[in-house]
């Protein structure tokens, strides 16, 4: 009978927030009103300086970003976002259609590039895509941290043996490689897999890819 895989553990993530960065106050407030009406959590910033002064690198959600900002433009903002350790998907908006700028933004990983006046459906579709991407990335990061926490309980020998197991070696090969008995390999392998909560070799390989 084929083994049935257990569903992946779903970790609790911080609430997602749409971070609006827009220097036009009236437009900024209208976006806040729209998201509030739709029960989407949002926070607004008038420029790049206020965002980087208040927003946390641990923030979850996305950035809805105007291309033309005072002092720092949208493309520069996007680069600083990455350089400063933020990992928030970006949706650009602009009143000035600029193909070269949009191409640069998309190549740098932007989710979408919207032209003003914004169409509500188009905006919400872009935000939905950005939040979905963020959730996937947050789940991956949280899962990686969980695997590293589990790995901290491993002994040096267990790490060594599990690493060789994950690389594809059999118990007999590992015993020869390390100059120990096959029984000791099995003992360390079993203990290590219990600590990692790995129920199969395939799961152990995925875990070691995350913590490697």
């Amino acid at each position: 009978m084929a083994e049935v895989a257990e569903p992946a553990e779903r970790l609790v993530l911080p609430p997602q927030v749409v971070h609006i960065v827009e220097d036009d106050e009236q437009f900024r407030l209208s976006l806040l009103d729209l998201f509030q009406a739709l029960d989407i959590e949002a926070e607004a910033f008038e420029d790049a300086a206020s965002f980087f002064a208040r927003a946390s690198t641990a923030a979850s959600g996305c950035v809805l970003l105007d291309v033309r900002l005072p002092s720092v433009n949208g493309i520069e903002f996007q680069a600083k976002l990455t350089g400063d350790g933020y990992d928030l998907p970006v949706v650009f908006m602009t009143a000035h259609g600029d193909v070269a700028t949009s191409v640069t933004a998309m190549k740098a990983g932007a989710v979408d590039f919207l032209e003003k006046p914004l169409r509500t459906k188009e905006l919400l579709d872009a935000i939905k895509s950005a939040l979905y991407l963020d959730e996937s990335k947050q789940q991956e990061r949280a899962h990686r941290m969980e695997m590293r926490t589990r790995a901290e309980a491993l002994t040096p020998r267990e790490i060594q043996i599990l690493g060789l197991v994950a690389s594809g070696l059999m118990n007999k090969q590992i015993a020869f490689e390390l100059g120990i008995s096959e029984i000791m390999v099995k003992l360390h392998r079993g203990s290590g897999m219990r600590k990692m909560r790995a129920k199969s070799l395939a799961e152990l390989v995925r875990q070691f890819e995350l913590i490697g």
Side-chain angles (χ1 to χ4, degrees), residues 14-62:
Q16 291 183 306
V17 179
V18 178
H19 301 81
I20 305 164
V21 186
E22 166 64 62
D23 61 320
D24 184 320
E25 182 178 11
Q26 184 175 353
F27 187 57
R28 188 169 67 244
L29 292 176
S30 71
L31 287 170
L32 277 175
D33 288 342
L34 172 64
F35 290 127
Q36 183 177 10
L38 295 169
D39 201 27
I40 297 172
E41 189 169 350
E43 186 175 4
F45 307 87
E46 65 270 17
D47 55 23
S50 62
F51 172 88
F52 289 111
R54 290 159 46 201
S56 167
T57 53
S60 179
C62 67

Side-chain angles (χ1 to χ4, degrees), residues 85-155:
Y86 294 84
D87 195 13
L88 294 167
V90 177
V91 174
F92 276 100
M93 52 186 176
T94 181
H96 312 277
D98 183 338
V99 174
T101 302
S102 65
V103 169
T104 300
M106 300 302 281
K107 282 185 176 180
V111 173
D112 212 333
F113 197 95
L114 309 176
E115 289 192 22
K116 298 176 182 176
L118 302 179
R119 291 182 289 276
T120 302
K121 184 182 184 307
E122 186 178 43
L123 169 63
L124 295 179
D125 284 348
I127 294 298
K128 181 179 179 180
S129 296
L131 294 180
Y132 179 81
L133 174 60
D134 172 70
E135 182 178 5
S136 298
K137 292 164 73 174
Q138 293 278 0
Q139 283 283 350
E140 182 181 341
R141 280 194 296 275
H143 190 57
R144 184 180 292 112
M145 288 178 64
E146 172 65 19
M147 292 306 104
R148 287 175 178 167
T149 298
R150 293 181 192 179
E152 288 174 1
L154 298 173
T155 66

Side-chain angles (χ1 to χ4, degrees), residues 188-203:
H188 286 300
R189 174 175 176 165
S191 174
M193 289 190 70
R194 283 192 296 274
K195 290 177 182 178
M196 292 300 294
R197 304 179 208 168
K199 296 179 176 61
S200 67
L201 175 58
E203 186 175 356

